[in-house]
Amino acid sequence: MKILSTLILCLLTLPVLAQTTSLRGRVLDQRGQPVPYANVALLALQQGAAADESGRFALSDLPAGPQQIQVSAVGYTTATQNLMLPLAQALIVRLQSTESTLGEVVVTGVSRSTEIRRSPVPIAAITGREIRLNANGNAIDAAVRGVPGLSAVTTGPNISKPFIRGLGYNRVLTMFNGLRQEGQQWGDEHGIEVDGYGLDRVEVVKGPASLLYGSDAVAGVVNLLPALPMGPEGELHGEALAEYQSVNGLVGKSLAFDYQKNGFQTSLRGSHRWARDYSNPVDDRVYNTGFRELNLTGMVGVQRAWGNVRLWLTTYDNRQEIPDGSRDSLSRAFTKQLFDGNQDDFNNRPIVSNSELKSYGISPLYQHIQHYRAFVTSELKTGPGELRLLLGMQQNHRQEFNHPTAPTQPGLDLRLTTLNYQARYLFQDFSGYELTVGVNGMGQDNQHLNATDFAIPPYRLFDIGGFGVVKKAFGALELTGGLRYDTRVVDWNDFYTGIDPATGFGTKADAGTPGADRQFSAFHKVYRGVSASVGGSYAVGPGLVLRANVARGYRAPNIPEIGSNGLDPGAHIIYLGNPDFEPEFNWQQDVGVLWKSAGFEASAEAFYNHVENFIYQAKQFDANGQALSDQFGNSTYKFEQAAANLFGGEVAFNVQPAALPGLSWRTGAALVIGINKNAALQDREGTAARYLPLIPAPTAQSELRFALPDQPGRRLAGSYVRLSVAGTARQNRFYAVDGAETATPGYLLTGLGAGTTLRTASGRDALQLVLQADNLFDVAYQSHLNRLKYFEYYRTAPTGRLGIYSPGRNLSVKVVVPF
């Protein structure tokens, strides 16, 4: 921590001098009317301001030279423009009242800020405005709604793991403002530790991004970007938010403040959410799916002509109940566990009362997740180029309380400490070439604390990788290529466990303790990998862009895959790893066609992904064909490795007819097929082993929205109504070996929403109201990637419906009061 504190202090006090200038301008619509309170940002500097009620804005202390400005406002297309500062006169920016996305600029998955349609790899972006219009269970759900090809494995409304084109867990790198999220993300039963209320933008890379980020990005990247101060200088601004969702009685509250003056920036947000058990038309209320979550996020920084330095601090605290799916065999009412071990008679567990199902209290069986971050980001003008640095420390403390007779004794008690570092240098363009080089990596230490179950070993990890990326434009053709080399070292010592004679629970032990068992044998291994990418985009004309990319990704096996040997009580699975696994490598080819014109934009993407040494879970059976499980019904799974092929694609279009101002129609669809290339398994199991596990079903989403045109002096602005339809096809391509998965019927979900913004007499936003109905017709369905679908203790049910169903109708209201 002394090193981190010293570096922070040095960066915050770095004396760099440069020529400064200012920028003034006005934001207007197509008719020349002012767009009040539009957001104006200089992307590379991460500096911005809000326009006043007449659309005027001003930015000071800016470096002279080329800059890219981005202007956005509710109900208007985001505009991006290249400038050469200083300007001789005031800048006029005109916004169109459409919902275009292909012209947006992204920073994730590319070496420099890049327009979406000119990126050789498929990238999608969701704005904070779109996130606010939905009733989201968590930060990942907010992105899944708007990005074809992005899905999630879920365990109730508050636990979602992102999957990109059929690959998930730590094959998808999740980041918070560029800091890779490290919270034992290979597990099923806890979500991403990020405040969804504080997101300003989500950027998603669909395809291998190992070139820039190293191991764990073979499927892609989800970057959750928080909001930065955007108000006028010298004024304290913020917002108060309140939300209610009916499906689980969720009550959400969030309060945010931000301030900036003379280059100083600071922001603070606190959010709290709590919910009881969710409901659906089949199961009624699903026992033990409630949660209570608290988030705090703070930032302090300096923005000058020489660049910027920002310090981020976050805390996350979540008490999340753990469902196990136990029921009465006849009534199908949920039952609860009261005893441990042999005293627990599953067939005679008591039925959960209605008062418990409706209670906001957290039951004795829950997990407690605490996550802390402290990291510094900086962008420094160093001569002709730019140096971007990131240094951070985060700690994840995960406890699972699964002993009803000892409610204060955790079963799992893991503390993961991670140090992240990154340095990237952007050279000045020379002869049309843009060169970026960098190095990044992390160090980790994971320890068992006061635990009784030991599913994975306590381990140490060190990771480092270096890369170079070059980009060159040849007229309408832009080419990008790069190369990277990674090294990861993983090791742990012999680890012994025993039985505590006082409690009868498991405990850590010394090698010499009588009766001690060696749970994990000492391990040391070095993994190495080469990543590469080459691709480009070609602008056939002003509207049509063709792009293609070939990338090689690398992923070192994660700790459960090589080291697990025990029960994960939250997942109700005994995991067995394989220390001999080799890294995964994949080659993915992407091709895309993108079209953008006035009132219409469309895209079509196709991919083929070949994975060597693909690692997956396989259920274990004895010589008689019976599933291996312990006396409490916890199934045994062992990790296996084989080749795999995945292919599919996405299509999307957005129509805004000029003849019907305010009307927009957006549609997107995605398909992915995963083929298991384990020849020996297919010879033994036949067609049951043809497909990979956890492949999402084909999906399509469509939304029709009508926004009322704003009029000068009108007190209601940004008013809209929208109708959405999301269709999911039957999933017949599933991993059927040993009954691991079953076919999932298709379903159609309908949503209806409306919203408006109340403005003061002076034209300032006073209150935003969002009303939303999801699953409007209360359809009973099971998502193929919903883990609760397989939480079932019986082979048959009186209703004919096995497992737990996904959430039913959800009516929500959200109120935001800016100040």
Side-chain angles (χ1 to χ4, degrees), residues 562-601:
I562 57 177
S564 58
N565 182 28
L567 172 68
D568 184 339
H572 302 285
I573 290 176
I574 299 170
Y575 289 112
L576 301 177
N578 188 332
D580 297 325
F581 279 162
E582 295 298 322
E584 288 183 353
F585 293 97
N586 70 323
W587 281 99
Q588 179 164 315
Q589 299 90 48
D590 286 277
V591 294
V593 180
L594 302 95
W595 173 262
K596 179 182 177 182
S597 63
F600 179 78
E601 64 180 26

Short mmCIF file of all heavy atoms in Angstrom, two decimals, residues 562-601:
data_model
loop_
_atom_site.label_atom_id
_atom_site.label_comp_id
_atom_site.label_asym_id
_atom_site.label_seq_id
_atom_site.Cartn_x
_atom_site.Cartn_y
_atom_site.Cartn_z
N ILE A 562 -8.10 -26.12 -12.51
CA ILE A 562 -6.87 -26.89 -12.28
C ILE A 562 -6.74 -27.37 -10.83
O ILE A 562 -5.97 -28.30 -10.56
CB ILE A 562 -5.62 -26.08 -12.65
CG1 ILE A 562 -5.55 -24.77 -11.88
CG2 ILE A 562 -5.57 -25.84 -14.15
CD1 ILE A 562 -4.30 -23.95 -12.15
N GLY A 563 -7.48 -26.75 -9.89
CA GLY A 563 -7.21 -27.05 -8.51
C GLY A 563 -8.37 -27.45 -7.64
O GLY A 563 -8.17 -27.85 -6.49
N SER A 564 -9.62 -27.33 -8.12
CA SER A 564 -10.76 -27.57 -7.24
C SER A 564 -10.82 -29.03 -6.77
O SER A 564 -10.48 -29.96 -7.50
CB SER A 564 -12.07 -27.19 -7.94
OG SER A 564 -12.22 -27.92 -9.14
N ASN A 565 -11.25 -29.20 -5.53
CA ASN A 565 -11.36 -30.53 -4.95
C ASN A 565 -12.26 -30.45 -3.72
O ASN A 565 -11.80 -30.59 -2.59
CB ASN A 565 -9.98 -31.09 -4.56
CG ASN A 565 -10.09 -32.51 -4.00
OD1 ASN A 565 -11.00 -33.26 -4.34
ND2 ASN A 565 -9.16 -32.87 -3.12
N GLY A 566 -13.55 -30.21 -3.96
CA GLY A 566 -14.44 -30.12 -2.82
C GLY A 566 -15.76 -29.50 -3.18
O GLY A 566 -16.05 -29.20 -4.34
N LEU A 567 -16.58 -29.30 -2.15
CA LEU A 567 -17.95 -28.83 -2.30
C LEU A 567 -18.00 -27.31 -2.34
O LEU A 567 -17.40 -26.64 -1.49
CB LEU A 567 -18.81 -29.34 -1.14
CG LEU A 567 -20.23 -28.77 -1.04
CD1 LEU A 567 -21.08 -29.26 -2.21
CD2 LEU A 567 -20.87 -29.13 0.29
N ASP A 568 -18.71 -26.77 -3.36
CA ASP A 568 -19.11 -25.38 -3.34
C ASP A 568 -20.54 -25.36 -2.82
O ASP A 568 -21.48 -25.70 -3.54
CB ASP A 568 -19.05 -24.78 -4.75
CG ASP A 568 -19.38 -23.30 -4.77
OD1 ASP A 568 -20.02 -22.83 -3.82
OD2 ASP A 568 -19.00 -22.62 -5.73
N PRO A 569 -20.76 -24.98 -1.55
CA PRO A 569 -22.10 -25.12 -0.97
C PRO A 569 -23.15 -24.26 -1.65
O PRO A 569 -24.32 -24.63 -1.70
CB PRO A 569 -21.89 -24.71 0.50
CG PRO A 569 -20.64 -23.92 0.51
CD PRO A 569 -19.78 -24.47 -0.59
N GLY A 570 -22.75 -23.11 -2.18
CA GLY A 570 -23.73 -22.27 -2.85
C GLY A 570 -24.21 -22.85 -4.16
O GLY A 570 -25.36 -22.66 -4.56
N ALA A 571 -23.34 -23.58 -4.86
CA ALA A 571 -23.71 -24.20 -6.14
C ALA A 571 -24.25 -25.61 -5.96
O ALA A 571 -24.78 -26.20 -6.90
CB ALA A 571 -22.50 -24.24 -7.07
N HIS A 572 -24.08 -26.21 -4.75
CA HIS A 572 -24.50 -27.59 -4.47
C HIS A 572 -23.82 -28.56 -5.41
O HIS A 572 -24.43 -29.52 -5.90
CB HIS A 572 -26.03 -27.72 -4.57
CG HIS A 572 -26.77 -26.80 -3.64
ND1 HIS A 572 -26.86 -27.02 -2.29
CD2 HIS A 572 -27.41 -25.62 -3.88
CE1 HIS A 572 -27.55 -26.04 -1.73
NE2 HIS A 572 -27.89 -25.17 -2.68
N ILE A 573 -22.53 -28.31 -5.68
CA ILE A 573 -21.76 -29.14 -6.60
C ILE A 573 -20.39 -29.41 -5.98
O ILE A 573 -19.77 -28.53 -5.40
CB ILE A 573 -21.60 -28.44 -7.97
CG1 ILE A 573 -22.94 -28.39 -8.70
CG2 ILE A 573 -20.56 -29.15 -8.83
CD1 ILE A 573 -22.89 -27.64 -10.01
N ILE A 574 -19.93 -30.66 -6.12
CA ILE A 574 -18.57 -31.03 -5.77
C ILE A 574 -17.73 -30.93 -7.03
O ILE A 574 -18.00 -31.64 -8.02
CB ILE A 574 -18.51 -32.46 -5.19
CG1 ILE A 574 -19.36 -32.55 -3.91
CG2 ILE A 574 -17.08 -32.87 -4.90
CD1 ILE A 574 -19.56 -33.96 -3.42
N TYR A 575 -16.73 -30.06 -7.03
CA TYR A 575 -15.92 -29.83 -8.22
C TYR A 575 -14.59 -30.57 -8.10
O TYR A 575 -13.96 -30.59 -7.04
CB TYR A 575 -15.63 -28.34 -8.39
CG TYR A 575 -16.83 -27.51 -8.79
CD1 TYR A 575 -17.39 -26.58 -7.91
CD2 TYR A 575 -17.39 -27.64 -10.06
CE1 TYR A 575 -18.48 -25.81 -8.29
CE2 TYR A 575 -18.48 -26.88 -10.44
CZ TYR A 575 -19.02 -25.96 -9.54
OH TYR A 575 -20.10 -25.21 -9.92
N LEU A 576 -14.15 -31.14 -9.23
CA LEU A 576 -12.86 -31.80 -9.31
C LEU A 576 -12.08 -31.20 -10.48
O LEU A 576 -12.54 -31.24 -11.63
CB LEU A 576 -13.03 -33.31 -9.53
CG LEU A 576 -13.82 -34.07 -8.45
CD1 LEU A 576 -13.97 -35.53 -8.84
CD2 LEU A 576 -13.13 -33.95 -7.09
N GLY A 577 -10.91 -30.61 -10.19
CA GLY A 577 -10.10 -29.99 -11.24
C GLY A 577 -9.06 -30.93 -11.79
O GLY A 577 -8.93 -32.08 -11.37
N ASN A 578 -8.27 -30.41 -12.75
CA ASN A 578 -7.22 -31.20 -13.38
C ASN A 578 -5.97 -30.32 -13.50
O ASN A 578 -5.93 -29.39 -14.31
CB ASN A 578 -7.65 -31.68 -14.76
CG ASN A 578 -6.68 -32.66 -15.37
OD1 ASN A 578 -5.48 -32.63 -15.09
ND2 ASN A 578 -7.17 -33.53 -16.23
N PRO A 579 -4.93 -30.59 -12.70
CA PRO A 579 -3.73 -29.73 -12.72
C PRO A 579 -2.91 -29.84 -13.99
O PRO A 579 -1.97 -29.06 -14.18
CB PRO A 579 -2.94 -30.23 -11.51
CG PRO A 579 -3.39 -31.63 -11.30
CD PRO A 579 -4.83 -31.66 -11.70
N ASP A 580 -3.24 -30.78 -14.87
CA ASP A 580 -2.46 -30.97 -16.10
C ASP A 580 -3.02 -30.19 -17.29
O ASP A 580 -2.51 -30.32 -18.41
CB ASP A 580 -2.40 -32.46 -16.46
CG ASP A 580 -1.68 -33.28 -15.40
OD1 ASP A 580 -0.72 -32.75 -14.82
OD2 ASP A 580 -2.09 -34.44 -15.16
N PHE A 581 -4.07 -29.40 -17.08
CA PHE A 581 -4.66 -28.66 -18.19
C PHE A 581 -3.67 -27.70 -18.84
O PHE A 581 -2.83 -27.10 -18.16
CB PHE A 581 -5.87 -27.86 -17.71
CG PHE A 581 -7.15 -28.67 -17.60
CD1 PHE A 581 -8.21 -28.19 -16.85
CD2 PHE A 581 -7.28 -29.88 -18.24
CE1 PHE A 581 -9.38 -28.90 -16.74
CE2 PHE A 581 -8.44 -30.61 -18.13
CZ PHE A 581 -9.50 -30.12 -17.38
N GLU A 582 -3.81 -27.55 -20.15
CA GLU A 582 -3.05 -26.57 -20.93
C GLU A 582 -3.92 -25.33 -21.18
O GLU A 582 -5.15 -25.39 -21.05
CB GLU A 582 -2.62 -27.18 -22.26
CG GLU A 582 -1.64 -28.34 -22.11
CD GLU A 582 -0.33 -27.92 -21.45
OE1 GLU A 582 0.13 -26.79 -21.76
OE2 GLU A 582 0.20 -28.69 -20.65
N PRO A 583 -3.31 -24.20 -21.53
CA PRO A 583 -4.11 -23.01 -21.81
C PRO A 583 -5.05 -23.20 -22.99
O PRO A 583 -4.79 -24.02 -23.89
CB PRO A 583 -3.06 -21.94 -22.12
CG PRO A 583 -1.80 -22.43 -21.51
CD PRO A 583 -1.86 -23.93 -21.60
N GLU A 584 -6.13 -22.47 -22.98
CA GLU A 584 -7.01 -22.42 -24.13
C GLU A 584 -6.46 -21.40 -25.14
O GLU A 584 -5.95 -20.35 -24.78
CB GLU A 584 -8.42 -21.96 -23.73
CG GLU A 584 -9.22 -22.97 -22.96
CD GLU A 584 -10.63 -22.49 -22.66
OE1 GLU A 584 -10.92 -21.30 -22.95
OE2 GLU A 584 -11.42 -23.27 -22.13
N PHE A 585 -6.57 -21.74 -26.43
CA PHE A 585 -6.26 -20.81 -27.51
C PHE A 585 -7.41 -20.85 -28.50
O PHE A 585 -7.96 -21.91 -28.78
CB PHE A 585 -4.96 -21.19 -28.22
CG PHE A 585 -3.73 -21.03 -27.37
CD1 PHE A 585 -3.18 -22.11 -26.70
CD2 PHE A 585 -3.12 -19.79 -27.22
CE1 PHE A 585 -2.05 -21.97 -25.91
CE2 PHE A 585 -1.99 -19.64 -26.43
CZ PHE A 585 -1.45 -20.73 -25.77
N ASN A 586 -7.79 -19.70 -29.02
CA ASN A 586 -8.85 -19.70 -30.01
C ASN A 586 -8.49 -18.79 -31.18
O ASN A 586 -7.78 -17.80 -31.04
CB ASN A 586 -10.19 -19.28 -29.39
CG ASN A 586 -10.25 -17.81 -29.00
OD1 ASN A 586 -9.28 -17.26 -28.54
ND2 ASN A 586 -11.41 -17.20 -29.17
N TRP A 587 -8.96 -19.19 -32.34
CA TRP A 587 -8.86 -18.38 -33.55
C TRP A 587 -10.28 -18.00 -33.95
O TRP A 587 -11.12 -18.87 -34.15
CB TRP A 587 -8.20 -19.16 -34.69
CG TRP A 587 -6.71 -19.24 -34.58
CD1 TRP A 587 -5.95 -20.27 -34.10
CD2 TRP A 587 -5.78 -18.23 -34.99
NE1 TRP A 587 -4.62 -19.97 -34.17
CE2 TRP A 587 -4.48 -18.73 -34.71
CE3 TRP A 587 -5.91 -16.96 -35.54
CZ2 TRP A 587 -3.33 -17.99 -34.98
CZ3 TRP A 587 -4.76 -16.21 -35.81
CH2 TRP A 587 -3.50 -16.73 -35.54
N GLN A 588 -10.54 -16.70 -34.04
CA GLN A 588 -11.88 -16.26 -34.43
C GLN A 588 -11.80 -15.35 -35.63
O GLN A 588 -10.98 -14.44 -35.70
CB GLN A 588 -12.57 -15.53 -33.28
CG GLN A 588 -13.98 -15.04 -33.65
CD GLN A 588 -14.80 -14.68 -32.43
OE1 GLN A 588 -14.83 -15.41 -31.44
NE2 GLN A 588 -15.49 -13.55 -32.48
N GLN A 589 -12.70 -15.62 -36.60
CA GLN A 589 -12.82 -14.78 -37.77
C GLN A 589 -14.16 -14.05 -37.72
O GLN A 589 -15.20 -14.67 -37.46
CB GLN A 589 -12.75 -15.61 -39.06
CG GLN A 589 -11.43 -16.37 -39.23
CD GLN A 589 -11.45 -17.74 -38.63
OE1 GLN A 589 -12.37 -18.51 -38.85
NE2 GLN A 589 -10.43 -18.08 -37.85
N ASP A 590 -14.11 -12.75 -37.93
CA ASP A 590 -15.30 -11.91 -37.94
C ASP A 590 -15.42 -11.17 -39.26
O ASP A 590 -14.42 -10.67 -39.77
CB ASP A 590 -15.25 -10.87 -36.82
CG ASP A 590 -15.50 -11.47 -35.45
OD1 ASP A 590 -16.67 -11.64 -35.09
OD2 ASP A 590 -14.51 -11.76 -34.74
N VAL A 591 -16.62 -11.11 -39.79
CA VAL A 591 -16.90 -10.26 -40.95
C VAL A 591 -18.18 -9.49 -40.65
O VAL A 591 -19.08 -9.99 -39.97
CB VAL A 591 -17.05 -11.07 -42.26
CG1 VAL A 591 -15.73 -11.72 -42.64
CG2 VAL A 591 -18.14 -12.11 -42.13
N GLY A 592 -18.25 -8.26 -41.16
CA GLY A 592 -19.41 -7.44 -40.89
C GLY A 592 -19.71 -6.48 -42.01
O GLY A 592 -18.81 -6.05 -42.75
N VAL A 593 -20.98 -6.12 -42.13
CA VAL A 593 -21.46 -5.12 -43.09
C VAL A 593 -22.29 -4.12 -42.29
O VAL A 593 -23.20 -4.51 -41.54
CB VAL A 593 -22.31 -5.74 -44.20
CG1 VAL A 593 -22.78 -4.66 -45.16
CG2 VAL A 593 -21.54 -6.82 -44.93
N LEU A 594 -21.99 -2.82 -42.42
CA LEU A 594 -22.69 -1.78 -41.68
C LEU A 594 -23.15 -0.70 -42.64
O LEU A 594 -22.38 -0.26 -43.51
CB LEU A 594 -21.79 -1.19 -40.59
CG LEU A 594 -21.24 -2.17 -39.56
CD1 LEU A 594 -19.83 -2.64 -39.98
CD2 LEU A 594 -21.15 -1.53 -38.19
N TRP A 595 -24.39 -0.28 -42.47
CA TRP A 595 -24.96 0.75 -43.33
C TRP A 595 -25.58 1.84 -42.46
O TRP A 595 -26.27 1.56 -41.48
CB TRP A 595 -26.02 0.18 -44.25
CG TRP A 595 -26.75 1.24 -45.03
CD1 TRP A 595 -27.95 1.81 -44.75
CD2 TRP A 595 -26.29 1.87 -46.22
NE1 TRP A 595 -28.28 2.76 -45.67
CE2 TRP A 595 -27.27 2.82 -46.60
CE3 TRP A 595 -25.14 1.75 -47.00
CZ2 TRP A 595 -27.14 3.62 -47.72
CZ3 TRP A 595 -25.01 2.55 -48.12
CH2 TRP A 595 -26.00 3.46 -48.48
N LYS A 596 -25.32 3.08 -42.82
CA LYS A 596 -25.88 4.20 -42.08
C LYS A 596 -26.28 5.29 -43.05
O LYS A 596 -25.50 5.72 -43.90
CB LYS A 596 -24.84 4.75 -41.09
CG LYS A 596 -25.32 5.95 -40.28
CD LYS A 596 -24.21 6.45 -39.37
CE LYS A 596 -24.67 7.68 -38.60
NZ LYS A 596 -23.60 8.22 -37.72
N SER A 597 -27.54 5.72 -42.95
CA SER A 597 -28.04 6.81 -43.77
C SER A 597 -29.07 7.58 -42.95
O SER A 597 -29.39 7.19 -41.82
CB SER A 597 -28.67 6.28 -45.07
OG SER A 597 -29.79 5.46 -44.77
N ALA A 598 -29.58 8.64 -43.52
CA ALA A 598 -30.57 9.44 -42.80
C ALA A 598 -31.80 8.60 -42.52
O ALA A 598 -32.46 8.11 -43.45
CB ALA A 598 -30.93 10.67 -43.62
N GLY A 599 -32.10 8.38 -41.27
CA GLY A 599 -33.30 7.65 -40.90
C GLY A 599 -33.16 6.15 -40.89
O GLY A 599 -34.14 5.46 -40.60
N PHE A 600 -31.97 5.61 -41.21
CA PHE A 600 -31.85 4.16 -41.24
C PHE A 600 -30.40 3.76 -41.00
O PHE A 600 -29.48 4.36 -41.53
CB PHE A 600 -32.31 3.61 -42.59
CG PHE A 600 -32.20 2.11 -42.70
CD1 PHE A 600 -33.14 1.29 -42.11
CD2 PHE A 600 -31.15 1.53 -43.38
CE1 PHE A 600 -33.04 -0.10 -42.21
CE2 PHE A 600 -31.03 0.15 -43.49
CZ PHE A 600 -32.00 -0.65 -42.89
N GLU A 601 -30.21 2.75 -40.17
CA GLU A 601 -28.91 2.13 -40.02
C GLU A 601 -29.10 0.65 -39.76
O GLU A 601 -30.11 0.21 -39.20
CB GLU A 601 -28.10 2.78 -38.90
CG GLU A 601 -28.68 2.63 -37.52
CD GLU A 601 -27.81 3.30 -36.46
OE1 GLU A 601 -27.08 4.25 -36.81
OE2 GLU A 601 -27.87 2.88 -35.30
#
